[in-house]
């Protein structure tokens, strides 16, 4: 089902539930709770995707409104209902969907627990206490979210603006909905309107994610051109890129360096396209010519750092990795066993390949011979 | 800008600034003075909003202005301090680039128009709700006519400035961008809430309000930077790679530019326009797999060579399909998809392949190739018109011709940016046909009727 259709389904079902609630319990709080529950459900499908960060659903902001505006059991019930409602609309297999919904329910419960615990502290004045409790609730939800994400990606999360925007908007919506003292609240309208800055952030991150993906896919697509022209074995660029990043990761390269290494690996045969065909030349094409030509092209773009890695006179670790891994893939592509290819690299002249790189590559090959 | 227009615009801006200053003086003498803390806080927020957001999207900058002016109107409602509203409004005109470049006229104009519009809006809001205790519902209701007043005042004052500086008709200027003013209404409502929150909690909640806006701004700024960088990278990569064929150097970039002209002329929305421009830039990327000697062959191709050259379309499609954003317009790279068919058009087929086809053919005709010299622009137009409704989409052909004429651009023989000295035959009416490239010895059925790109 299309993304917009999924949102429409939720809006239709939630809207119908709100109308029913209003008809059966006119003037009560149940309609507002139903609509906030709808916000949680919609927020499950609208996700902030900051770069280098686990995506965070907007639902956490709406959960803060429930935490503040509903009784504890109603809050848990509403979050559970929203998680159930989005279950059929999520991507992935059913096990993954259940895990995601369950994890978000736990995050909601953690938020509620943190909120209730801090609201019980009498030493603070009403406004600081409420602000602290809501902030703690938001942080608790995010901690659970990150703890769950750590199972798949154990790296320390890059917490940043998206987290702040989510918690700040949630706090503002919660205070707008119920106020600090009874009678101060603006009501349900505030939830809709204070979600506008958060939606603006969501839209901006969506655009950023789209252009980042397009940029990556463009490099990947261009990497295939030399292969389609018969200048490199099929799949060579993708394999070299993947293996280079694994070697670089093992050798402790930073995220930015790994990104440059990946781009350089994907495009390391690009220069070949600019060289004259062998039959039109006096001497055969040397690999160094291909690399230097590629470096020259990439240096004119924002991929200049990747271009530097291609240059034959570059002695940085990234260049060494690229050279060794490319040679390894060339050998394996000629039906050589991985172990034999490693032996060939080890027996090569010492000044050609960096021994630390070969060792790291060997460890990876040994751990997964299918490489 | 002519001297006369220049001086008229200056008189208008100075006049507006004097009016705002006079109003400020009267309000200062007669009315209550505003409380200092909200005045400073809201003014700083207004300066911040205009400077942080306006350079990204002007309409969002203005909507932040309507929000903060509405907040000031709510905050200063109890003591009816119109001077407070005026000063908060005027703060929005302090746009840093204007200050740095000492563009005093723009500074005066913006401060004055924001101030006057804010006071007019406050008049409407306070007339409706008064200064006593009021329900949030009535405040929200009053925000609608307030935003209407703000938008009318803003559009009239800004349009006047544009009319005076450019000489355009007032009605034409008024209509441009009027749709953007719909964004004002939700932001005016948001301003009411911001004002109420300020009254209840003073500055404690302002950071909560600011954080998501700043984050949104930073993410959008990163998006714009990456978008520019990505397009520049593709442009350079494609340009460097296509340099292997000196006859088509710069071709992709020109096709992208013509496609953009056509897209704008046809009113294609910005997102699709972005897609179209990138697809046009990469439409010939498959040609990279064609050996140089075939691309640069002066004479006719053999049947085998022709098949190899033809294969590049499939490669282009494969490359574009690998990029999700461009996949929907990947058929732009094939001549079949670009072939006009009235039936397909009635079925609402996408127009992008036709745009790329026309832009591609126009550039092919107006630049020198290994097999013939560049045609003149008029011959190229004649060829496009002759094939309009058959090979080419008529609306697209008309759009390209209209766009180029409007811009006063002339391309083709005598106007080429890169001129190659070749022994290729001169171009003339009918010489743009596929026959130029047909395999040796093959007879073309309708040689003159098909423009080859």
């Amino acid at each position: 089902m299309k993304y917009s259709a999924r949102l429409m389904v939720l809006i239709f079902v939630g809207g119908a539930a709100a109308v029913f609630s209003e008809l059966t319990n006119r003037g009560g709080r149940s309609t507002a709770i139903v609509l906030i529950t709808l916000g949680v459900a919609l927020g499950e499908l609208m996700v902030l995707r900051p770069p280098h960060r686990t995506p965070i659903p907007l639902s956490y902001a709406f959960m803060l409104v429930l935490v503040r505006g509903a009784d504890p059991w109603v809050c848990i019930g509403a979050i559970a209902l929203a998680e159930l409602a989005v279950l059929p609309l999520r991507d992935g297999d059913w096990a993954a969907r259940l895990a995601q919904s369950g994890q978000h329910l736990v995050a909601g419960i953690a938020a509620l627990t943190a909120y209730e615990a801090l609201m019980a502290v009498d030493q603070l004045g009403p406004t600081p206490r409420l602000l602290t409790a809501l902030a703690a609730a938001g942080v608790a939800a995010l901690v659970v979210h990150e703890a769950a994400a750590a199972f798949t990606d154990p790296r320390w999360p890059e917490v940043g603006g998206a987290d702040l925007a989510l918690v700040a908007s949630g706090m503002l919506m919660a205070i707008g909905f119920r106020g600090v003292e009874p009678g101060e609240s603006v009501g349900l309208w505030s939830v809709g309107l204070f979600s506008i800055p958060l939606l603006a952030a969501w839209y901006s991150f969506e655009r950023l994610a789209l252009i980042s993906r397009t940029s990556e896919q463009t490099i990947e697509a261009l990497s295939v051109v030399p292969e389609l022209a018969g200048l490199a074995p099929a799949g060579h660029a993708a394999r070299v890129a993947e293996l280079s990043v694994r070697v670089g990761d093992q050798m402790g390269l930073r995220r930015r360096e790994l990104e440059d290494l990946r781009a350089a690996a994907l495009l390391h045969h690009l220069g070949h396209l600019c060289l004259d065909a062998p039959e039109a030349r006096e001497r055969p094409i040397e690999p160094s010519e291909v690399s230097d030509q590629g470096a020259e092209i990439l240096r004119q773009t924002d991929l200049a750092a990747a271009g530097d890695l291609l240059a034959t006179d570059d002695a940085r670790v990234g260049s060494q990795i690229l050279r060794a891994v490319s040679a390894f893939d060339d050998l394996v592509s000629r039906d050589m066993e991985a172990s034999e290819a490693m032996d060939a690299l080890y027996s090569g002249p010492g000044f050609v390949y960096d021994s630390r790189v070969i060792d790291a590559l060997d460890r990876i090959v040994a751990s997964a011979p299918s490489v | 800008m002519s001297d006369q227009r220049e001086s008229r615009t200056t008189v208008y801006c100075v006049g507006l600034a004097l009016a705002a200053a006079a109003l400020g003086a009267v309000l200062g003498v007669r009315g209550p003075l505003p409380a200092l803390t909200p005045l400073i806080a809201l003014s700083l927020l207004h300066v911040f909003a205009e400077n942080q957001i306006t350079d990204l999207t002007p309409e969002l900058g203005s909507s932040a202005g309507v929000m903060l002016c509405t907040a000031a109107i709510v905050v200063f409602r109890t003591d009816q301090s119109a001077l407070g509203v005026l000063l908060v409004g005027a703060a929005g005109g302090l746009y840093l680039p204007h200050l740095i470049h000492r563009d005093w006229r723009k500074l005066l104009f913006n401060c004055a128009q924001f101030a006057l519009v804010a006071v007019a809006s406050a008049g409407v809001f306070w007339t409706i709700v008064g200064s006593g205790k009021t329900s949030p519902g009535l405040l929200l209701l009053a925000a609608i006519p307030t935003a209407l007043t703000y938008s009318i005042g803003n559009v009239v004052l800004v349009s006047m400035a544009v009319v005076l500086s450019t000489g355009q008709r007032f009605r034409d200027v008024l209509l441009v961008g009027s749709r953007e003013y719909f964004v004002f209404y939700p932001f005016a409502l948001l301003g009411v809430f911001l004002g109420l929150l300020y009254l209840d909690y003073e500055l404690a909640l302002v950071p909560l309000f600011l954080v998501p806006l700043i984050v949104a701004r930073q993410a959008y700024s990163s998006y714009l930077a990456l978008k520019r960088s990505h397009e520049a990278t593709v442009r350079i990569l494609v340009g460097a790679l296509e340099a292997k064929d000196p006859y088509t150097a710069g071709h992709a970039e020109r096709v992208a530019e013509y496609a953009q002209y056509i897209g704008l002329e046809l009113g294609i929305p910005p997102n699709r326009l972005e897609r179209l421009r990138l697809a046009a830039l990469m439409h010939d990327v498959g040609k990279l797999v064609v050996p140089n000697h075939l691309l640069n062959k002066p004479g006719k191709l053999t049947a085998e060579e022709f098949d190899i050259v033809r294969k590049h379309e499939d490669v282009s499609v494969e490359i574009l399909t690998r990029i999700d954003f461009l996949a929907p317009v990947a058929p732009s790279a094939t001549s079949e998809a670009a072939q006009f068919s009235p039936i397909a058009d009635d079925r609402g087929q996408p127009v992008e392949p036709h745009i790329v086809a026309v832009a591609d053919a126009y550039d092919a005709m107006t630049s020198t190739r290994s097999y013939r010299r560049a045609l003149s622009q008029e011959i190229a137009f004649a060829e496009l018109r002759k094939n309009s409704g058959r090979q080419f989409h008529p609306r697209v052909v008309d759009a390209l011709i209209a766009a180029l004429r409007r811009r006063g651009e002339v391309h083709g023989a005598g106007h080429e940016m890169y001129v190659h000295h070749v022994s290729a035959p001169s171009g003339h009416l009918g010489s743009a046909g596929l026959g130029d490239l047909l395999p040796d010895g093959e007879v073309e059925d309708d040689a003159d009727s098909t423009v080859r790109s």
Side-chain angles (χ1 to χ4, degrees):
Chain A
M1 197 191 295
K2 268 185 165 181
Y3 180 67
S4 54
R6 285 187 262 176
L7 292 180
M8 290 310 293
V9 165
L10 276 182
I11 290 170
F12 180 77
V13 173
V19 169
F20 178 75
S21 161
E22 188 60 20
L23 289 175
T24 52
N25 184 16
R26 190 175 289 272
R29 285 168 62 86
S30 56
T31 306
I33 300 297
V34 168
L35 287 172
I36 298 167
T37 307
L38 172 61
V40 174
L42 287 171
E44 285 291 324
L45 298 183
M46 299 171 83
V47 177
L48 289 176
R49 299 175 213 274
H52 315 309
R53 172 82 172 85
T54 326
I56 336 167
L58 298 193
S59 57
Y60 292 161
F62 291 94
M63 284 182 194
L64 294 193
V65 186
L66 283 175
V67 160
R68 170 72 186 145
D71 297 331
W73 287 110
V74 174
C75 170
I76 294 172
I79 295 172
L81 189 65
E83 297 300 338
L84 269 178
V86 293
L87 214 47
L89 303 173
R90 286 192 190 280
D91 291 322
D93 58 36
W94 279 94
R97 295 180 197 196
L98 277 168
Q100 217 171 8
S101 280
Q103 175 224 311
H104 292 181
L105 175 61
V106 173
I109 294 171
L112 179 66
T113 311
Y115 172 80
E116 293 291 341
L118 279 155
M119 283 301 278
V121 177
D122 292 330
Q123 282 84 347
L124 295 167
T127 305
R129 185 176 57 185
L130 178 62
L131 288 175
T132 313
L134 284 172
V139 171
L142 289 173
V143 167
V144 171
H145 185 78
E146 280 312 319
F151 282 109
T152 49
D153 184 1
R155 277 179 295 188
W156 190 254
E158 289 188 16
V159 178
D163 305 74
L164 278 175
L166 193 82
V167 175
S169 291
M171 290 170 72
L172 209 52
M173 288 192 280
I175 295 169
F177 179 61
R178 201 176 153 193
V180 177
E181 302 287 351
E184 280 181 351
S185 67
V186 184
L188 195 60
W189 275 95
S190 66
V191 178
L193 283 164
F194 283 133
S195 65
I196 291 176
L198 185 60
L199 290 175
W202 169 76
Y203 175 77
S204 301
F205 279 119
E206 281 296 295
R207 303 300 301 170
L208 183 58
L210 174 69
I211 195 71
S212 303
R213 199 166 58 243
T214 302
S215 196
E216 278 174 23
Q217 288 177 341
T218 304
I219 293 173
E220 287 166 6
L222 286 174
S223 76
V224 181
V225 180
E227 293 165 18
L228 292 172
L231 303 173
H236 172 70
R239 286 194 303 271
V240 172
E242 193 199 334
L243 197 49
S244 294
V245 169
R246 285 173 67 183
V247 173
D249 195 26
Q250 190 166 101
M251 294 185 73
L253 294 192
R254 287 172 299 174
R255 192 193 299 271
R256 180 73 219 182
E257 290 171 320
L258 291 177
E259 284 171 3
D260 292 336
L261 177 58
R262 184 168 184 276
L266 283 170
L267 299 176
H268 75 284
H269 271 290
L270 202 68
H272 209 147
L273 295 165
C274 297
L275 298 173
D276 287 331
E279 54 271 21
R281 296 162 54 99
E282 289 175 358
R283 55 190 174 80
I285 294 172
E286 295 290 333
S288 60
E289 280 182 87
V290 174
S291 298
D292 287 335
Q293 182 73 44
E296 194 184 319
I297 295 172
L298 293 188
R299 278 171 174 161
Q300 299 167 43
T301 71
D302 278 359
L303 299 170
D308 289 340
L309 293 178
L310 288 185
T312 44
D313 56 0
D314 194 272
R316 282 176 298 166
V317 179
S319 293
Q320 304 292 344
I321 293 172
L322 185 51
R323 231 166 280 160
V325 173
S326 181
F328 172 79
D329 191 75
D330 278 338
L331 294 172
V332 173
S333 300
R334 289 179 210 154
D335 289 337
M336 195 182 265
E337 287 294 323
S339 56
E340 288 173 334
M342 283 313 304
D343 288 342
L345 293 185
Y346 271 121
S347 60
F351 57 86
V352 176
Y353 303 117
D354 187 319
S355 59
R356 292 168 305 158
V357 173
I358 306 280
D359 288 343
L361 177 61
D362 195 23
R363 282 194 293 276
I364 290 171
V365 171
S367 66
S370 62
V371 163
Chain B
M1 204 192 309
S2 72
D3 286 348
Q4 200 180 13
R5 279 188 202 151
E6 182 92 19
S7 52
R8 274 184 193 169
T9 312
T10 307
V11 167
Y12 173 68
C13 294
V14 172
L16 215 58
L18 286 175
L23 181 63
V26 170
L27 292 173
V29 172
R30 286 192 181 175
L33 294 176
L36 211 56
T37 315
L39 176 68
I40 294 171
L42 291 171
S43 299
L44 286 177
L45 274 178
H46 200 183
V47 174
F48 171 81
E50 292 294 338
N51 280 279
Q52 288 292 300
I53 303 174
T54 305
D55 58 337
L56 295 179
T57 50
E59 66 274 19
L60 275 186
S62 304
S63 41
V66 76
M67 178 178 74
L68 289 159
C69 286
T70 314
I73 291 168
V74 172
V75 170
F76 296 121
R77 181 176 72 94
T78 321
D79 53 5
Q80 303 264 304
S81 173
L83 182 63
V85 176
L86 181 137
L87 292 174
V88 170
L94 299 175
Y95 187 48
L96 271 181
H98 293 163
L99 270 171
I100 291 165
H101 298 113
R102 298 181 182 177
D103 197 341
W104 305 120
R105 196 171 60 182
K106 281 185 185 165
L107 268 173
L108 278 180
F109 169 74
N110 282 329
C111 288
Q113 72 93 5
F114 274 128
L116 292 171
V117 166
V119 172
S121 308
V124 171
F125 191 86
W126 293 344
T127 305
I128 296 171
V129 297
S131 59
K133 197 167 169 58
T134 316
S135 69
L138 184 60
L139 293 178
L140 286 174
L141 211 61
I144 304 294
T146 305
L148 183 68
T149 310
Y150 189 97
S151 53
I152 290 173
N154 185 259
V155 78
V156 168
L157 293 179
V158 172
S159 299
M160 288 279 286
V162 176
V163 167
L164 289 171
S165 60
T166 63
Q168 295 179 63
R169 285 190 313 171
F170 187 73
R171 206 181 64 180
D172 295 344
V173 177
L174 209 59
L175 291 174
V176 173
S178 55
R179 272 186 308 175
E180 288 165 5
Y181 287 92
F182 285 110
V183 183
F184 279 19
Y185 297 97
F187 278 89
L189 298 176
L190 210 54
V192 171
F193 283 115
L194 181 63
L196 290 174
L197 280 177
Y198 186 89
L199 289 174
D200 281 345
Y201 309 107
E202 296 193 334
L203 286 172
L205 297 187
V206 170
L208 296 183
F209 194 78
L210 278 183
V211 164
L213 287 175
I214 294 171
V215 170
R217 195 265 177 198
Q218 280 179 339
Y220 200 76
S221 181
S222 304
Y223 153 67
L224 289 180
L226 188 56
K227 191 174 90 157
R228 277 193 290 268
S229 151
H230 171 66
E231 196 169 321
T233 299
V234 172
R235 206 176 283 276
I236 292 168
L237 283 178
V238 171
L241 294 171
E242 74 181 2
K244 71 178 194 169
D245 175 6
Y247 295 103
T248 56
H251 169 68
E253 198 160 335
R254 290 193 299 274
V255 172
E257 195 178 351
Y258 299 145
Q260 163 112 346
Y261 287 177
I262 299 169
L264 285 171
E265 197 72 20
L266 293 176
I268 287 181
N271 272 1
R272 275 177 64 194
L273 205 58
E274 194 182 324
R275 194 194 306 267
L276 170 67
R277 204 172 51 242
L278 273 177
L281 201 56
M282 296 183 71
H283 78 284
D284 255 351
V285 74
K287 227 164 55 179
L288 296 170
V289 304
V290 179
N292 292 9
H293 67 277
L294 292 186
L295 290 176
N296 298 326
K297 185 173 177 178
K300 291 189 174 183
L301 302 172
T302 65
E304 195 184 338
E305 288 169 339
F306 189 74
D307 283 344
I308 295 172
V309 173
R310 269 288 189 201
K311 211 179 75 176
H312 89 265
E313 286 186 357
D314 298 336
V315 176
S316 293
V317 171
E318 185 178 340
I319 303 271
L320 293 183
T321 309
R322 285 167 182 257
I323 305 166
D324 291 344
F325 182 60
L326 299 182
V329 288
S332 304
T334 64
S335 40
E336 284 86 2
Q339 196 77 23
F340 176 67
S341 149
I343 297 166
D345 192 46
D346 287 345
R347 286 183 193 146
Q349 293 285 313
V351 74
E352 281 87 347
H354 301 293
I355 294 178
V356 176
V358 169
D360 191 20
Y362 173 74
D363 186 65
M365 286 190 284
T366 52
S367 48
T368 294
R369 296 294 171 97
S370 57
Y371 50 89
R372 71 138 167 73
R373 291 189 189 212
L375 308 179
S376 73
Q377 174 151 289
E378 287 313 312
I379 292 180
F381 282 171
E383 289 280 0
L384 288 175
R385 283 208 189 93
K386 196 173 79 178
N387 291 285
S388 175
R390 290 189 295 168
Q391 185 184 356
F392 300 126
H393 196 305
R395 271 197 307 133
V396 176
V397 170
D398 292 344
L400 175 68
I401 294 172
L404 289 172
R405 292 239 159 99
R406 193 194 321 284
R407 286 172 169 79
E409 286 187 20
V410 182
H411 304 276
H415 298 275
E416 284 183 281
M417 198 174 286
Y418 307 103
V419 179
H420 304 286
H421 300 280
V422 292
S423 55
S426 297
H428 53 82
L429 193 63
S431 71
L434 185 60
D436 291 339
L437 274 182
L438 270 185
D440 237 353
E442 193 167 312
V443 180
E444 192 184 0
D445 292 339
D446 190 10
D448 286 348
S449 67
T450 311
V451 176
R452 166 70 192 163
S453 58

